[in-house]
Amino acid sequence: MFGISAKQNIVGLDVGSNAVKIVELEKKRGGLHLASFGAVGLPEDSIVDGEVLNHTSVVDSIKTLANELNIAASPVCTSVCGSSLIVKHISIPKVPLRELDDQIYWEAEQYIPFDMAEINMDYEIVNADGDHGQIELILVAAKKDFIEKRLTTIRDAGFDPQILDVDAFALANIYWENYDVSENTFSVLIDLGAAMTKINIVTQETTLFMRDIAVGGKNLTQEIQDKLGVSFEEAEILKIDAATSEQIPKEVLEAINTVSENIGLELRRSLDFFIASNADYPITGAYVCGGACKMPGLTSALEDMLGLPVYYLNPFERIGYNSQVYNDEFIAAIASSAAVPMGLAMRNFE
Ligand SMILES: Nc1ncnc2c1ncn2[C@@H]1O[C@H](COP(=O)(O)OP(=O)(O)OP(=O)(O)O)[C@@H](O)[C@H]1O
Ligand SMILES: [Mg+2]
């Protein structure tokens, strides 16, 4: 995305609102392998709606994690999400491939509510052969200062951001690499982060629809906080404990039900929006990842509310790992958090 291209091997750096995650992949005979993974929490409100508000804490956290993992300053693929991204699903008249960039630029002016000189823009083709001789595509744009702020943070932490992607697109990389996807498979990929839920509806090699919604695991922490009158940190502990405990306190259970239902309703709304204009693409399943997908009972609540089978998006279905460094238990525990940074690291191998 955003026109920066990678020429050499790089790592995936996922700077989420709750935690920074780094993945390093190596290419071995037989495919890609996880060389290292690590995560470090960020102080609250360091990143809000995709925007870096506390530059120093984000830079320090990235540096600390890179040191821990022994990853020297190197090129990285990183990503952004949130409402600063302008995502538009548009159709334009068909033009020869060499004129496409110019055509999209002129068409985009109608859809982007800013001066084109102030934004960075990229696009993904959804259908090169759409109805009435049109090309359907997804435009993703963001203001240059938003992008520059993020890139400066990454550079100040000692890394060289060669590709700036979008979280939702990183999910698709993981899905295509790890699963058999036919042209009749239409899946919704869902990254349940702390502050944002990212949706990407995909089929074979194509993104059909993407959207970021401002709900996530933090909503559950806040709900527990309100119900029990405890601090955010205490509520976070109660929430994580609930994922493995047999006896979940009544208030926590109520909070889980409320938040699961809210997340389910938001997702349902987005799917309905997509289905209304895409009846030809019947969605066959949902794949979830991100830290908040571990909320107890969430997958079964989503199955009911979306009327779809819900699976965990497993980045290690076909991507190996060094079994002398990592065991199966560790890999299973990190799978949901590793999906986005793995999808980012993979950009380099495309
Ligand atoms: N075992 C668990 N049970 C419930 N929630 C969990 C568990 N582990 C992590 N979480 C929640 O997952 C969220 C963090 O997920 P993740 O690391 O994917 O977020 P992020 O990438 O930092 O955020 P975002 O993508 O929204 O910017 C937090 O809200 C955290 O409380
Ligand atoms: Mg995230």
Side-chain angles (χ1 to χ4, degrees):
M1 286 267 105
F2 302 119
I4 308 165
S5 70
K7 293 201 172 53
Q8 48 183 314
N9 288 359
I10 52 173
V11 297
L13 170 60
D14 173 13
V15 184
S17 63
N18 183 258
V20 175
K21 284 138 265 172
I22 293 181
V23 156
E24 189 180 19
L25 290 178
E26 56 189 348
K27 201 166 195 176
K28 291 199 161 185
R29 207 181 298 164
L32 295 175
H33 257 69
L34 178 75
S36 55
F37 169 83
V40 62
L42 281 173
E44 220 191 323
D45 292 338
S46 297
I47 294 189
V48 175
D49 193 13
E51 188 154 351
V52 178
L53 295 191
N54 187 338
H55 178 82
T56 311
S57 73
V58 179
V59 168
D60 289 350
S61 300
I62 300 173
K63 279 184 172 170
T64 305
L65 182 58
N67 273 341
E68 237 171 61
L69 297 175
N70 224 350
I71 293 178
S74 61
V76 287
C77 177
T78 190
S79 61
V80 280
C81 68
S83 68
S84 296
L85 297 179
I86 303 155
V87 180
K88 301 279 176 193
H89 299 77
I90 67 168
S91 295
I92 64 165
K94 209 166 195 170
V95 290
L97 210 55
R98 64 178 186 286
E99 292 169 25
L100 193 58
D101 282 352
D102 284 345
Q103 182 73 15
I104 289 171
Y105 183 88
W106 297 121
E107 295 278 342
E109 280 195 306
Q110 312 169 39
Y111 299 96
I112 310 278
F114 300 111
D115 183 343
M116 292 297 279
E118 285 176 30
I119 63 140
N120 284 103
M121 188 183 75
D122 209 341
Y123 61 86
E124 295 255 324
I125 293 184
V126 172
N127 187 354
D129 209 8
D131 291 344
H132 315 297
Q134 300 256 306
I135 300 177
E136 294 167 26
L137 45 97
I138 298 179
L139 274 185
V140 184
K143 285 189 124 184
K144 280 183 176 160
D145 52 2
F146 170 78
I147 299 289
E148 220 20 74
K149 205 167 169 185
R150 180 60 73 102
L151 294 177
T152 303
T153 307
I154 308 292
R155 288 189 193 110
D156 288 353
F159 285 99
D160 172 17
Q162 296 230 337
I163 301 177
L164 182 61
D165 208 332
V166 171
D167 287 8
F169 290 144
L171 297 181
N173 285 350
I174 282 300
Y175 177 64
W176 289 323
E177 181 73 22
N178 286 283
Y179 296 87
D180 290 322
V181 187
S182 78
E183 56 186 13
N184 298 317
T185 313
F186 302 96
S187 300
V188 53
L189 314 180
I190 304 165
D191 172 34
L192 294 144
M196 287 280 163
T197 294
K198 303 91 189 170
I199 304 174
N200 192 349
I201 299 178
V202 293
T203 183
Q204 197 180 37
E205 295 173 11
T206 311
T207 280
L208 300 169
F209 176 86
M210 68 154 283
R211 173 177 278 184
D212 289 349
I213 316 171
V215 290
K218 198 174 165 183
N219 293 70
L220 177 54
T221 313
Q222 285 165 341
E223 188 72 22
I224 295 173
Q225 212 184 335
D226 290 350
K227 276 208 159 22
L228 288 170
V230 294
S231 70
F232 187 86
E233 290 71 23
E234 286 166 323
E236 186 72 17
I237 292 169
L238 285 166
K239 175 173 90 169
I240 305 292
D241 282 352
T244 49
S245 156
E246 306 253 300
Q247 290 253 300
I248 304 174
K250 184 171 128 291
E251 293 83 356
V252 175
L253 209 51
E254 282 168 9
I256 290 172
N257 291 338
T258 306
V259 174
S260 299
E261 196 173 324
N262 284 347
I263 293 176
L265 281 173
E266 287 292 347
L267 289 171
R268 180 74 259 169
R269 203 168 292 157
S270 288
L271 290 196
D272 286 346
F273 181 81
F274 170 77
I275 292 164
S277 47
N278 294 281
D280 299 345
Y281 303 143
I283 298 172
T284 39
Y287 290 79
V288 293
C289 66
C293 81
K294 293 180 185 161
M295 266 168 62
L298 182 66
T299 50
S300 57
L302 293 184
E303 289 203 329
D304 288 347
M305 293 182 76
L306 306 181
L308 292 171
V310 176
Y311 312 99
Y312 289 105
L313 179 66
N314 180 12
F316 298 105
E317 201 68 30
R318 289 184 187 154
I319 296 178
Y321 53 91
N322 185 342
S323 55
Q324 282 168 347
V325 181
Y326 300 119
N327 61 30
D328 291 353
E329 215 173 26
F330 176 83
I331 292 295
I334 65 161
S336 58
S337 310
V340 166
M342 283 186 59
L344 294 174
M346 277 171 51
R347 275 276 180 226
N348 185 48
F349 296 104
E350 286 176 348

mmCIF file of all heavy atoms in Angstrom, residues 14-19 21 81 167 191-194 196 198 290-291 340, ligand 2:
data_model
loop_
_atom_site.group_PDB
_atom_site.id
_atom_site.type_symbol
_atom_site.label_atom_id
_atom_site.label_comp_id
_atom_site.label_asym_id
_atom_site.label_seq_id
_atom_site.Cartn_x
_atom_site.Cartn_y
_atom_site.Cartn_z
ATOM 1 N N ASP A 14 3.885 -4.981 13.668
ATOM 2 C CA ASP A 14 2.484 -4.627 13.873
ATOM 3 C C ASP A 14 2.390 -3.737 15.115
ATOM 4 O O ASP A 14 2.539 -4.217 16.239
ATOM 5 C CB ASP A 14 1.673 -5.926 14.057
ATOM 6 C CG ASP A 14 0.231 -5.663 14.444
ATOM 7 O OD1 ASP A 14 -0.229 -4.516 14.335
ATOM 8 O OD2 ASP A 14 -0.441 -6.634 14.870
ATOM 9 N N VAL A 15 2.165 -2.455 14.892
ATOM 10 C CA VAL A 15 2.055 -1.538 16.030
ATOM 11 C C VAL A 15 0.570 -1.359 16.327
ATOM 12 O O VAL A 15 -0.101 -0.511 15.735
ATOM 13 C CB VAL A 15 2.746 -0.185 15.710
ATOM 14 C CG1 VAL A 15 2.708 0.722 16.931
ATOM 15 C CG2 VAL A 15 4.180 -0.408 15.260
ATOM 16 N N GLY A 16 0.043 -2.210 17.213
ATOM 17 C CA GLY A 16 -1.370 -2.151 17.570
ATOM 18 C C GLY A 16 -1.595 -1.157 18.689
ATOM 19 O O GLY A 16 -0.641 -0.606 19.245
ATOM 20 N N SER A 17 -2.863 -0.918 19.049
ATOM 21 C CA SER A 17 -3.127 0.062 20.097
ATOM 22 C C SER A 17 -2.798 -0.501 21.477
ATOM 23 O O SER A 17 -2.535 0.236 22.411
ATOM 24 C CB SER A 17 -4.588 0.499 20.054
ATOM 25 O OG SER A 17 -5.412 -0.602 20.327
ATOM 26 N N ASN A 18 -2.815 -1.842 21.590
ATOM 27 C CA ASN A 18 -2.544 -2.477 22.874
ATOM 28 C C ASN A 18 -1.121 -3.005 22.978
ATOM 29 O O ASN A 18 -0.526 -3.011 24.055
ATOM 30 C CB ASN A 18 -3.540 -3.632 23.070
ATOM 31 C CG ASN A 18 -3.402 -4.313 24.393
ATOM 32 O OD1 ASN A 18 -2.827 -5.392 24.487
ATOM 33 N ND2 ASN A 18 -3.896 -3.683 25.435
ATOM 34 N N ALA A 19 -0.608 -3.479 21.860
ATOM 35 C CA ALA A 19 0.712 -4.103 21.891
ATOM 36 C C ALA A 19 1.419 -3.979 20.547
ATOM 37 O O ALA A 19 0.784 -3.925 19.500
ATOM 38 C CB ALA A 19 0.567 -5.583 22.255
ATOM 39 N N LYS A 21 3.862 -5.958 18.025
ATOM 40 C CA LYS A 21 4.253 -7.337 17.738
ATOM 41 C C LYS A 21 5.237 -7.363 16.580
ATOM 42 O O LYS A 21 5.068 -6.611 15.610
ATOM 43 C CB LYS A 21 3.024 -8.173 17.354
ATOM 44 C CG LYS A 21 2.156 -8.549 18.541
ATOM 45 C CD LYS A 21 0.681 -8.426 18.255
ATOM 46 C CE LYS A 21 0.168 -7.094 18.712
ATOM 47 N NZ LYS A 21 -1.164 -6.729 18.367
ATOM 48 N N CYS A 81 -4.413 1.164 10.749
ATOM 49 C CA CYS A 81 -5.851 0.886 10.681
ATOM 50 C C CYS A 81 -6.561 2.092 11.287
ATOM 51 O O CYS A 81 -5.914 3.016 11.761
ATOM 52 C CB CYS A 81 -6.208 -0.394 11.450
ATOM 53 S SG CYS A 81 -5.996 -0.253 13.243
ATOM 54 N N ASP A 167 -3.927 -3.253 8.101
ATOM 55 C CA ASP A 167 -4.127 -4.496 8.877
ATOM 56 C C ASP A 167 -5.006 -5.497 8.134
ATOM 57 O O ASP A 167 -4.687 -6.684 8.052
ATOM 58 C CB ASP A 167 -4.796 -4.187 10.229
ATOM 59 C CG ASP A 167 -3.860 -3.520 11.218
ATOM 60 O OD1 ASP A 167 -2.734 -3.152 10.819
ATOM 61 O OD2 ASP A 167 -4.249 -3.357 12.387
ATOM 62 N N ASP A 191 -10.218 -9.439 12.314
ATOM 63 C CA ASP A 191 -9.156 -9.256 13.310
ATOM 64 C C ASP A 191 -9.743 -8.479 14.480
ATOM 65 O O ASP A 191 -10.074 -7.295 14.345
ATOM 66 C CB ASP A 191 -7.980 -8.489 12.678
ATOM 67 C CG ASP A 191 -6.932 -8.090 13.715
ATOM 68 O OD1 ASP A 191 -6.723 -8.853 14.677
ATOM 69 O OD2 ASP A 191 -6.341 -7.004 13.569
ATOM 70 N N LEU A 192 -9.891 -9.161 15.609
ATOM 71 C CA LEU A 192 -10.459 -8.526 16.797
ATOM 72 C C LEU A 192 -9.326 -8.011 17.667
ATOM 73 O O LEU A 192 -8.745 -8.750 18.465
ATOM 74 C CB LEU A 192 -11.327 -9.546 17.546
ATOM 75 C CG LEU A 192 -12.580 -9.977 16.772
ATOM 76 C CD1 LEU A 192 -12.901 -11.438 16.992
ATOM 77 C CD2 LEU A 192 -13.761 -9.112 17.166
ATOM 78 N N GLY A 193 -8.985 -6.755 17.479
ATOM 79 C CA GLY A 193 -7.900 -6.153 18.250
ATOM 80 C C GLY A 193 -8.419 -5.568 19.552
ATOM 81 O O GLY A 193 -9.518 -5.895 20.011
ATOM 82 N N ALA A 194 -7.621 -4.691 20.152
ATOM 83 C CA ALA A 194 -8.032 -4.082 21.415
ATOM 84 C C ALA A 194 -9.049 -2.965 21.162
ATOM 85 O O ALA A 194 -10.050 -2.857 21.862
ATOM 86 C CB ALA A 194 -6.805 -3.523 22.122
ATOM 87 N N MET A 196 -9.915 -1.885 17.679
ATOM 88 C CA MET A 196 -10.499 -1.921 16.335
ATOM 89 C C MET A 196 -10.753 -3.348 15.893
ATOM 90 O O MET A 196 -9.928 -4.227 16.144
ATOM 91 C CB MET A 196 -9.499 -1.349 15.315
ATOM 92 C CG MET A 196 -9.325 0.117 15.360
ATOM 93 S SD MET A 196 -10.681 0.900 14.482
ATOM 94 C CE MET A 196 -10.484 2.545 15.123
ATOM 95 N N LYS A 198 -11.126 -5.329 12.409
ATOM 96 C CA LYS A 198 -10.920 -5.133 10.965
ATOM 97 C C LYS A 198 -11.545 -6.294 10.213
ATOM 98 O O LYS A 198 -11.351 -7.444 10.583
ATOM 99 C CB LYS A 198 -9.428 -5.041 10.595
ATOM 100 C CG LYS A 198 -8.679 -3.965 11.316
ATOM 101 C CD LYS A 198 -8.103 -4.540 12.552
ATOM 102 C CE LYS A 198 -7.491 -3.601 13.504
ATOM 103 N NZ LYS A 198 -7.181 -4.310 14.769
ATOM 104 N N GLY A 290 -6.623 -12.037 16.284
ATOM 105 C CA GLY A 290 -6.489 -10.856 17.153
ATOM 106 C C GLY A 290 -6.714 -11.277 18.599
ATOM 107 O O GLY A 290 -7.441 -12.246 18.873
ATOM 108 N N GLY A 291 -6.091 -10.562 19.526
ATOM 109 C CA GLY A 291 -6.150 -10.945 20.938
ATOM 110 C C GLY A 291 -7.566 -11.129 21.465
ATOM 111 O O GLY A 291 -7.835 -12.032 22.266
ATOM 112 N N VAL A 340 -1.592 -10.869 12.091
ATOM 113 C CA VAL A 340 -1.335 -9.619 11.349
ATOM 114 C C VAL A 340 0.171 -9.424 11.086
ATOM 115 O O VAL A 340 0.573 -9.227 9.935
ATOM 116 C CB VAL A 340 -1.975 -8.393 12.042
ATOM 117 C CG1 VAL A 340 -1.433 -7.086 11.475
ATOM 118 C CG2 VAL A 340 -3.488 -8.439 11.870
HETATM 119 MG MG MG B 2 -3.992 -5.260 15.920
#
